[in-house]
Amino acid sequence: MTEVEAKKPQESLQDRLAQVVELLHRHKVVEDLTHRQEGQHHDRVENLVHRQNLVELQRKLEELHPADIAHILESLPLDDRLTVWQLVKSEDDGDILLEVSDAVRETLIADMDDHEIIAATKDLDADELADLAPELPRDVVHELMESLDAQQRERVRSALSYEEDQVGALMDFEMVTIREDVSLEVVLRYLRRLKELPGHTDKLFVVDYDGVLKGVLPIKRLLVNDPDKQVLEVMATDPVTFHPDEDGYDAAQAFERYDLISAPVVDKGGKLIGRLTIDEMVDLIREESESEVLNMAGLREEEDIFASVWKSVRNRWAWLATNLITAFVASRVIGLFEGSIEKLVALAALMPIVAGIGGNSGNQTITMIVRAIALDQVQPTSNSRNRLLRKELGVALVNGLAWGGVIGVVAFYLYGNWELGVVMTAAMTLNLLLAAMMGVLIPMTLHRFGRDPAMGSSVMITAMTDSGGFFIFLGLATIFLM
Amino acid sequence: MTEVEAKKPQESLQDRLAQVVELLHRHKVVEDLTHRQEGQHHDRVENLVHRQNLVELQRKLEELHPADIAHILESLPLDDRLTVWQLVKSEDDGDILLEVSDAVRETLIADMDDHEIIAATKDLDADELADLAPELPRDVVHELMESLDAQQRERVRSALSYEEDQVGALMDFEMVTIREDVSLEVVLRYLRRLKELPGHTDKLFVVDYDGVLKGVLPIKRLLVNDPDKQVLEVMATDPVTFHPDEDGYDAAQAFERYDLISAPVVDKGGKLIGRLTIDEMVDLIREESESEVLNMAGLREEEDIFASVWKSVRNRWAWLATNLITAFVASRVIGLFEGSIEKLVALAALMPIVAGIGGNSGNQTITMIVRAIALDQVQPTSNSRNRLLRKELGVALVNGLAWGGVIGVVAFYLYGNWELGVVMTAAMTLNLLLAAMMGVLIPMTLHRFGRDPAMGSSVMITAMTDSGGFFIFLGLATIFLM
């Protein structure tokens, strides 16, 4: 992690983005003019204006924090994005690549040759290099690895050996370690010799001669205690620690719960091998909630809003295809009752109401249960399942009778057929009960079998309430009205 | 913020929750037995077992961090929750109340008398008290305010004067301030006299005699620099600062972007009035993403999963009612074409496919645009709107022709009517184009008029694609097939 002191944002990020867009626009107008006059006399004055605009833009970019430049790159269409990317001073390239979203990073790396990539990444830390490595060309990674010393290389390899969201892939290696048998005065002198401390250093790690973690010395304690005291007297001996194969999301929850800034990562033998910091955890929390939103809407992954049509189609096709199949099934359910619809065409107009309300209500239930599972609030026991079922069925019954009653009366007024109204009310109630049952059972069953309960649960519940709603409504109508 | 050192979680949170549930269960079995034998001879042994179980449960709870107890309380049904709440040692009550969700906090406060509430909250800091105040009984708040000194009372009042998600309501008042004209050695000695530093102290705030912020001294710099240096030489003079009336979500994004741990809050005159810390920001980030998920599913707010049926009905009815109205409109659109459906009943079976795919595709688009707006990646200019429109319409055209083609062929095979197939393909394509257009325009228009683009956008887009889909399909069928 390169230390960059954040400048005070006198102007909002939106303002800065607007300024960059304005400069880009000026640049393009001039370019268009120059282009149009090509073949005719090539106007030197305009070329000069062109260059001045670029220089101004470059100066603007130099003032900005890499995270802000990353944000601006994400907000620009591809051509403008690459213009800006070429103007960014190359020492920031690595930091910016780390900050942008995966989809945007791909477009930036595609625009760089091997030489540029190596220049941008050679000063990164082992953990940062490991983050980028999967997206870099093979021979570039090879060359980068060659340039590292043995310890760094080993760290990159180790980080790459874990899944993206395991602690081992998220940790960094910038630990400040001390011994327990020295005085705080010695620790203070030692720190002064370091010249710089790694970001997010809120505690020092106390290890023995074998590198086994004995405790942590919070900086706060270092500062308020008598310098003559020994580390041993002041350190915390039972800190929250993590293992490299733990789930990063669990670690993020622990950070949130215990308000941690950094925490040691130890191997099975208790040896200190790295540390987690709150910034990585915040990214993870943000990512986790976002992937929940995206999954529910049927997007495979975060999308570059300026991605090509073709890329977007690929990101979205899987869920559309699933939806097509479930819609087809629902259509066949209706097909079963074409005879009834021919006799009473009002059924065709009323059936989407039954299906729609069921879907909406089912999605409410499933969203709540998925969240509770994600937060570990639901015990995977039949006792708590039954309790939730009872409650959700109760809510469905109330809503079904109330709203179903309203719509039943409306149906009676519209079509002057009170039996149709009663069937409507009954169908709504039954479909809401089905929605409630499935809203509890689908995520709990997925969870029980170790699947992600969020993934596709919205599509599944809608499929159930559509086909189920049509079947219940048309079935009741066929039995009682025909 | 009370300082609680987090204990190393030797067992997972799930395990601890399971243990508490087990102890509660044993307690209840005994209670049931005792109850059944009432009137007969009252068995003293069973009473003893009963008490032993409670003591064991209490001991278990005493080992736990307040955040863990909060989690356990959220995971328990109301009766068990109150049993545990009674057993928690009262000095933790305040911290636990701060940690639990709003819905659960309400159930806990309802179970406490005024005396208990005052005991639990009297040691809280001003900012924490302000967080709880809106949910406490009026006379309790009055009594608590009376017990505070003038400065604390002013702070509580100030915090209460801001909206829940403004910086002024999120900041705390635990700043360590120093002067710029002293040496680091003096600062170190000053800190030692404080005995304890507030949580999340990664920087000290440098103020002049009027309390105006001159800069910040990161603890890291304090530690690595020569103690003889002056604060002035070492401090950062342009730190990221916030104003109390700024939006908390913007502040959270700045914390994320610049990897901040704490940051000063200053008034218009530049006077230091409080500080923001990363833990509050993490809560906000979590909350923001969650409310996005909840809003999209049509839940008004976070729900206690063990809330009563009646409470849940109230939380969910508004969206269901909206959905009912839009479904009714869609139903009336179908009603317009009842004549056509009577002639060709296949239309009734096929129309939900057109509406369903449109809804799914529209939700994909709108989710992406809402996210991009939330992340400030979309400029509110007609230029960027047109660019996004062009792209989304392109995606819709590809999907419409591809999937519409597939379903057209299927319709032809099912009903042996090639004209029906062509109408199906055309209607799918047109409805996907409508979905794409609305998916871009709805959130951008809401945003333009200062509304939350997430709120209800899913319901709106579904309403459009349902009514629109039915109208397009049945309209085309009436023109070309009748």
Side-chain angles (χ1 to χ4, degrees):
Chain A
M1 212 170 306
T2 317
E3 275 305 304
V4 192
E5 276 297 322
K7 294 269 174 59
K8 178 172 173 171
Q10 299 288 5
E11 43 201 5
S12 83
L13 196 53
Q14 271 295 9
D15 293 343
R16 277 174 280 173
L17 176 54
Q19 286 167 18
V20 169
V21 170
E22 163 65 20
L23 285 168
L24 269 171
H25 183 69
R26 265 195 263 160
H27 156 64
K28 273 200 292 194
V29 170
V30 179
E31 205 170 42
D32 279 2
L33 275 174
T34 324
H35 197 72
R36 238 177 272 149
Q37 291 169 346
E38 231 167 299
Q40 300 174 24
H41 71 287
H42 207 92
D43 199 334
R44 231 187 273 169
V45 178
E46 257 149 15
N47 231 325
L48 199 67
V49 173
H50 179 175
R51 207 165 300 151
Q52 271 176 349
N53 279 329
L54 282 187
V55 168
E56 198 179 333
L57 181 54
Q58 192 157 24
R59 203 156 42 212
K60 184 86 216 154
L61 291 171
E62 267 164 24
E63 290 168 12
L64 296 177
H65 189 281
D68 292 339
I69 298 180
H71 176 81
I72 287 171
L73 290 171
E74 286 174 350
S75 310
L76 292 175
L78 193 58
D79 47 351
D80 291 349
R81 184 185 295 162
L82 296 182
T83 307
V84 169
W85 182 230
Q86 293 298 350
L87 291 178
V88 171
K89 58 174 191 293
S90 60
E91 71 233 53
D92 284 349
D93 281 5
D95 290 322
I96 294 168
L97 283 178
L98 285 169
E99 292 278 350
V100 292
S101 69
D102 289 358
V104 171
R105 185 184 300 148
E106 214 177 287
T107 66
L108 298 180
I109 289 177
D111 189 54
M112 299 165 85
D113 61 30
D114 288 5
H115 180 76
E116 286 172 316
I117 298 176
I118 289 172
T121 51
K122 68 177 177 351
D123 294 330
L124 296 179
D125 291 333
D127 61 305
E128 296 170 329
L129 210 50
D131 285 349
L132 290 183
E135 286 158 71
L136 300 179
R138 242 164 199 286
D139 39 339
V140 170
V141 174
H142 189 75
E143 198 172 328
L144 283 168
M145 290 291 270
E146 290 289 297
S147 71
L148 296 175
D149 63 37
Q151 190 196 33
Q152 289 290 318
R153 194 157 31 201
E154 191 36 56
R155 285 173 170 178
V156 175
R157 282 228 184 87
S158 144
L160 285 172
S161 71
Y162 293 100
E163 298 284 327
E164 205 182 0
D165 52 6
Q166 276 184 308
V167 166
L170 297 164
M171 66 186 186
D172 67 48
F173 304 98
E174 302 179 285
M175 308 85 81
V176 179
T177 57
I178 53 172
R179 302 257 177 258
E180 62 183 359
D181 54 0
V182 297
S183 70
L184 299 187
E185 179 63 42
V186 170
V187 173
L188 286 169
R189 263 187 284 136
Y190 169 63
L191 294 182
R192 243 163 249 145
R193 278 211 307 278
L194 288 182
K195 294 277 185 292
E196 201 178 45
L197 292 183
H200 298 97
T201 300
D202 73 321
K203 49 176 72 84
L204 309 174
F205 302 113
V206 185
V207 294
D208 66 14
Y209 287 87
D210 298 320
V212 172
L213 186 76
K214 309 298 284 180
V216 297
L217 177 63
I219 296 285
K220 291 196 303 183
R221 295 197 190 173
L222 173 65
L223 287 173
V224 299
N225 276 288
D226 184 343
D228 293 332
K229 279 194 184 163
Q230 294 285 104
V231 169
L232 186 63
E233 298 171 69
V234 179
M235 71 183 190
T237 51
D238 52 0
V240 179
T241 61
F242 298 95
H243 292 288
D245 46 6
E246 261 180 276
D247 181 25
Y249 298 107
D250 291 345
Q253 278 191 16
F255 264 72
E256 215 180 326
R257 193 170 292 126
Y258 307 122
D259 291 341
L260 301 174
I261 307 281
S262 74
V265 179
V266 296
D267 67 11
K268 291 214 177 63
K271 229 172 111 171
L272 179 70
I273 54 172
R275 63 162 196 164
L276 288 178
T277 53
I278 181 74
D279 53 331
E280 288 282 343
M281 298 296 108
V282 169
D283 290 349
L284 212 59
I285 291 170
R286 169 80 74 181
E287 241 171 59
E288 189 186 12
S289 332
E290 264 166 18
S291 76
E292 202 180 324
V293 177
L294 296 178
N295 283 342
M296 286 181 64
L299 293 158
R300 232 163 24 110
E301 55 181 34
E302 195 185 351
E303 204 172 283
D304 172 3
I305 51 167
F306 297 106
S308 67
V309 167
W310 179 232
K311 268 217 174 123
S312 296
V313 168
R314 272 191 306 175
N315 189 30
R316 304 182 195 175
W317 79 268
W319 283 112
L320 277 183
T322 312
N323 187 242
L324 201 70
I325 293 168
T326 63
F328 179 73
V329 171
S331 161
R332 293 327 300 145
V333 170
I334 299 171
L336 295 177
F337 297 98
E338 280 178 1
S340 306
I341 294 174
E342 259 176 337
K343 279 187 216 139
L344 186 59
V345 74
L347 298 182
L350 293 175
M351 65 187 187
I353 300 184
V354 178
I357 306 288
N360 189 311
S361 173
N363 268 305
Q364 289 182 335
T365 301
I366 212 165
T367 302
M368 213 201 57
I369 304 283
V370 165
R371 269 209 59 223
I373 292 176
L375 296 176
D376 280 334
Q377 283 177 359
V378 176
Q379 293 275 96
T381 61
S382 56
N383 182 22
S384 67
R385 188 192 58 215
N386 292 344
R387 214 182 250 273
L388 288 174
L389 263 182
R390 265 200 307 279
K391 181 198 143 190
E392 289 301 320
L393 290 175
V395 174
L397 194 66
V398 171
N399 279 329
L401 293 177
W403 298 115
V406 170
I407 211 78
V409 170
V410 171
F412 164 69
Y413 271 105
L414 278 176
Y415 295 98
N417 180 340
W418 70 264
E419 288 151 310
L420 183 62
V422 172
V423 164
M424 191 74 194
T425 306
M428 286 261 298
T429 308
L430 287 176
N431 200 30
L432 287 184
L433 290 173
L434 174 72
M437 201 169 73
M438 290 302 156
V440 174
L441 293 184
I442 291 175
M444 290 198 76
T445 309
L446 283 172
H447 183 54
R448 188 158 214 157
F449 289 105
R451 300 299 181 84
D452 174 8
M455 197 66 182
S457 49
S458 174
V459 173
M460 272 200 265
I461 191 96
T462 308
M464 298 267 183
T465 51
D466 273 3
S467 294
F470 294 141
F471 186 80
I472 291 169
F473 177 61
L474 296 175
L476 287 179
T478 304
I479 294 171
F480 294 106
L481 304 180
M482 296 298 129
Chain B
M1 213 169 308
T2 316
E3 275 307 304
V4 191
E5 275 298 321
K7 294 268 174 61
K8 178 173 172 171
Q10 298 288 2
E11 44 201 5
S12 82
L13 196 53
Q14 272 294 10
D15 293 343
R16 278 174 279 173
L17 177 54
Q19 287 168 19
V20 169
V21 170
E22 163 65 21
L23 285 168
L24 270 170
H25 183 70
R26 266 196 262 161
H27 155 64
K28 274 200 291 194
V29 170
V30 179
E31 205 170 42
D32 278 3
L33 274 174
T34 323
H35 197 74
R36 238 175 273 149
Q37 292 170 346
E38 232 166 298
Q40 298 173 27
H41 69 287
H42 208 90
D43 198 335
R44 232 187 271 171
V45 178
E46 258 149 14
N47 231 325
L48 199 66
V49 173
H50 179 173
R51 206 164 302 152
Q52 272 177 348
N53 278 329
L54 281 187
V55 168
E56 198 178 334
L57 181 54
Q58 191 156 25
R59 204 157 40 212
K60 184 85 216 155
L61 291 171
E62 267 164 26
E63 291 168 13
L64 296 178
H65 189 280
D68 292 339
I69 298 180
H71 176 83
I72 287 171
L73 290 170
E74 287 174 350
S75 311
L76 292 175
L78 193 59
D79 48 350
D80 291 349
R81 183 185 296 162
L82 295 181
T83 308
V84 170
W85 182 231
Q86 293 297 351
L87 291 179
V88 171
K89 60 175 189 292
S90 60
E91 72 232 52
D92 285 347
D93 280 5
D95 290 322
I96 294 169
L97 282 178
L98 285 170
E99 292 278 350
V100 293
S101 69
D102 290 358
V104 171
R105 184 184 302 149
E106 214 176 286
T107 66
L108 299 181
I109 289 176
D111 188 55
M112 298 166 85
D113 62 30
D114 287 6
H115 180 75
E116 286 172 314
I117 297 177
I118 289 171
T121 52
K122 69 176 176 351
D123 293 331
L124 296 179
D125 291 333
D127 61 306
E128 296 170 328
L129 209 50
D131 286 347
L132 290 183
E135 286 158 70
L136 299 178
R138 242 163 199 288
D139 40 338
V140 170
V141 175
H142 189 74
E143 198 172 329
L144 282 169
M145 290 291 269
E146 291 288 298
S147 71
L148 296 175
D149 63 37
Q151 189 195 34
Q152 289 291 316
R153 193 158 32 203
E154 191 37 54
R155 285 174 170 176
V156 174
R157 281 226 185 88
S158 144
L160 284 172
S161 71
Y162 293 99
E163 298 285 326
E164 206 183 359
D165 52 6
Q166 275 184 308
V167 166
L170 297 164
M171 65 187 186
D172 68 48
F173 305 97
E174 302 179 285
M175 308 85 80
V176 179
T177 57
I178 52 173
R179 303 256 178 259
E180 62 183 359
D181 54 0
V182 297
S183 70
L184 300 187
E185 180 61 43
V186 171
V187 173
L188 286 169
R189 261 187 285 135
Y190 170 63
L191 294 182
R192 242 164 250 145
R193 276 211 308 276
L194 288 181
K195 293 277 185 295
E196 199 178 45
L197 292 183
H200 299 99
T201 300
D202 72 321
K203 48 176 72 84
L204 310 174
F205 301 113
V206 185
V207 294
D208 66 14
Y209 286 87
D210 298 321
V212 172
L213 186 76
K214 309 298 283 181
V216 297
L217 177 63
I219 295 285
K220 292 196 302 181
R221 295 196 190 176
L222 173 65
L223 287 173
V224 299
N225 277 288
D226 182 345
D228 293 334
K229 280 193 184 166
Q230 296 283 104
V231 168
L232 186 63
E233 298 171 69
V234 178
M235 71 182 189
T237 51
D238 52 0
V240 179
T241 61
F242 298 95
H243 294 288
D245 47 6
E246 262 181 275
D247 181 25
Y249 298 108
D250 291 344
Q253 278 191 16
F255 265 71
E256 216 180 326
R257 192 170 294 127
Y258 307 122
D259 291 340
L260 301 174
I261 307 281
S262 74
V265 180
V266 296
D267 67 11
K268 289 213 180 63
K271 229 171 114 171
L272 178 71
I273 54 172
R275 63 162 196 165
L276 288 177
T277 53
I278 181 74
D279 54 328
E280 288 282 343
M281 297 296 109
V282 170
D283 290 350
L284 210 59
I285 290 170
R286 168 81 73 184
E287 239 172 59
E288 189 188 14
S289 333
E290 264 166 17
S291 76
E292 201 181 326
V293 176
L294 295 177
N295 282 343
M296 286 181 63
L299 293 158
R300 230 161 28 108
E301 56 182 33
E302 196 185 351
E303 204 172 279
D304 172 2
I305 52 169
F306 298 107
S308 68
V309 166
W310 179 233
K311 268 215 175 127
S312 296
V313 168
R314 272 191 305 175
N315 189 28
R316 305 183 196 175
W317 80 269
W319 283 112
L320 276 183
T322 313
N323 188 241
L324 200 70
I325 293 167
T326 63
F328 178 72
V329 171
S331 161
R332 292 329 298 145
V333 171
I334 299 172
L336 296 177
F337 298 96
E338 279 177 1
S340 306
I341 294 174
E342 258 174 338
K343 279 188 215 138
L344 185 60
V345 75
L347 298 181
L350 293 175
M351 65 187 188
I353 300 183
V354 178
I357 305 290
N360 189 310
S361 173
N363 268 304
Q364 289 182 335
T365 301
I366 212 164
T367 303
M368 213 201 58
I369 304 282
V370 165
R371 270 209 58 225
I373 292 176
L375 296 176
D376 279 334
Q377 283 176 359
V378 177
Q379 294 275 99
T381 60
S382 57
N383 181 21
S384 69
R385 187 193 60 215
N386 292 342
R387 214 181 249 273
L388 288 173
L389 264 181
R390 264 200 307 278
K391 182 198 143 188
E392 289 302 321
L393 289 174
V395 174
L397 193 67
V398 171
N399 279 329
L401 293 176
W403 298 116
V406 168
I407 212 77
V409 171
V410 170
F412 164 69
Y413 271 105
L414 278 175
Y415 296 97
N417 180 340
W418 69 265
E419 288 150 308
L420 184 62
V422 172
V423 164
M424 190 75 193
T425 306
M428 285 261 297
T429 308
L430 287 175
N431 200 30
L432 286 185
L433 289 173
L434 174 72
M437 200 168 74
M438 291 302 156
V440 175
L441 293 184
I442 291 175
M444 289 197 76
T445 309
L446 283 172
H447 183 54
R448 188 157 213 157
F449 289 105
R451 301 298 181 84
D452 174 7
M455 198 67 182
S457 50
S458 175
V459 173
M460 271 201 264
I461 190 96
T462 309
M464 299 269 184
T465 52
D466 274 1
S467 295
F470 293 141
F471 185 81
I472 292 169
F473 177 62
L474 296 175
L476 287 180
T478 305
I479 295 170
F480 293 106
L481 305 179
M482 296 299 129

